[in-house]
Amino acid sequence: MRMVNEGGDRVTDFLKTIPVKHWSTVHFPGCRYGEMFSNVAESFNSWIKDECYLPVKNLVDAIRAKIMSMIVERREKASKWVRNICPKMDQKLFDAYQESRTWVVMHSGDDVYEVHSEPTVTVDIARRSCSCQKWQQNGFPCCHAVRAITNSGKELSLYVDPYYHAETYRASYSYSIYPIPTLWMPQHVSGEDVILPPLSKKPPGRPKTRRIPSRGEKVSQIKCGRCGKFGNHNRATCKEAM
């Protein structure tokens, strides 16, 4: 609605030419698994912030080496998990249970339940759906679904999408990236046909090295040793008047 108000007929005509499922979350046929931001790209840029100033050839090789080490580290970490669900999502299930433990649940029939929360919602365990739409969107039981499932006496992990299972995580890092010895790398050939990078003017000001958090992203709070307030600054970057 905000886009239509600002753009007027141009935005309205543009949206009419695009299928609704491509820009509306409600009509999206699949699961987004909770990812509604560009955090993946931003995190990757922050991950290679020390290497991004290298020449292209060295940059690619540095990224290959980092990914090679990351796969081994995550594979070893996942091999120690004993639960069916990844630890972070398992904790999220526990938090949802703690939040919903005081809610009243009424059995409507079959696998349909009415959960009296704020507001009251309907949960269909068999269809894995909740009237709040979060379960369908993320593939992960919302707090209403967690309350209904635990009330029914069924196992919570059976209603979590395989995307969040530890076995899926292990399969994602089951492959390996093998080292590339320098002996196999192509030799640099100098000549007149070398393409140089384009000339560019450095913009004014200090370049940003930290990524900008997306809207709705939870940023960890730290306590400043100078002003004593919680935020995302420390003693070195504190600007509070003392």
Side-chain angles (χ1 to χ4, degrees):
M1 183 60 67
R2 181 179 177 183
M3 293 174 58
V4 175
N5 293 336
E6 294 182 359
D9 296 336
R10 291 182 300 174
V11 175
T12 304
D13 296 338
F14 175 72
L15 293 178
K16 287 181 180 179
T17 61
I18 305 176
V20 181
K21 64 181 181 180
H22 289 171
W23 58 269
S24 176
T25 304
V26 177
H27 298 279
F28 184 74
C31 292
R32 295 186 180 272
Y33 299 110
E35 294 294 335
M36 300 294 291
F37 313 106
S38 58
N39 294 357
V40 174
E42 294 173 358
S43 298
F44 181 79
N45 291 336
S46 178
W47 188 49
I48 63 169
K49 66 179 180 180
D50 296 331
E51 292 81 11
C52 63
Y53 300 104
L54 297 173
V56 175
K57 175 178 174 295
N58 297 339
L59 171 63
V60 173
D61 192 57
I63 294 176
R64 176 196 60 81
K66 288 178 72 73
I67 295 177
M68 182 174 63
S69 300
M70 180 196 68
I71 290 176
V72 174
E73 292 174 1
R74 295 191 176 183
R75 184 190 302 150
E76 293 176 353
K77 179 180 68 174
S79 64
K80 301 175 182 178
W81 295 347
V82 295
R83 302 292 294 269
N84 295 333
I85 312 297
C86 294
K88 184 176 180 181
M89 306 312 297
D90 197 43
Q91 180 62 40
K92 192 173 181 180
L93 277 178
F94 178 76
D95 294 340
Y97 171 76
Q98 291 294 101
E99 179 182 355
S100 62
R101 60 187 305 178
T102 59
W103 295 346
V104 177
V105 180
M106 297 183 65
H107 193 186
S108 176
D110 296 331
D111 287 325
V112 180
Y113 293 83
E114 182 178 270
V115 181
H116 293 265
S117 58
E118 292 294 336
T120 299
V121 299
T122 301
V123 177
D124 191 332
I125 297 179
R127 296 184 177 182
R128 302 192 178 197
S129 64
C130 177
S131 56
C132 76
Q133 302 296 325
K134 291 184 179 179
W135 195 1
Q136 300 91 301
Q137 177 179 318
N138 301 333
F140 191 84
C142 59
C143 52
H144 312 109
V146 169
R147 185 71 184 96
I149 295 171
T150 53
N151 186 79
S152 66
K154 298 180 180 179
E155 177 61 34
L156 263 176
S157 61
L158 298 178
Y159 294 91
V160 177
D161 195 277
Y163 176 85
Y164 302 101
H165 286 193
E167 191 62 33
T168 304
Y169 187 97
R170 295 189 187 99
S172 300
Y173 298 100
S174 59
Y175 61 93
S176 300
I177 295 181
Y178 294 98
I180 302 178
T182 309
L183 180 65
W184 296 349
M185 293 185 178
Q187 299 296 324
H188 173 70
V189 180
S190 60
E192 298 180 355
D193 297 332
V194 176
I195 300 177
L196 299 177
L199 298 176
S200 59
K201 184 178 179 181
K202 185 178 180 180
R206 179 180 298 177
K208 295 182 179 179
T209 57
R210 298 179 61 185
R211 71 180 187 89
I212 303 174
S214 301
R215 183 178 180 182
E217 180 182 356
K218 294 182 180 180
V219 181
S220 58
Q221 301 288 317
I222 59 176
K223 185 177 181 180
C224 176
R226 178 173 176 269
C227 65
K229 296 181 180 180
F230 284 91
N232 56 356
H233 69 278
N234 54 20
R235 178 184 292 274
T237 59
C238 181
K239 298 181 180 179
E240 292 288 336
M242 300 299 290

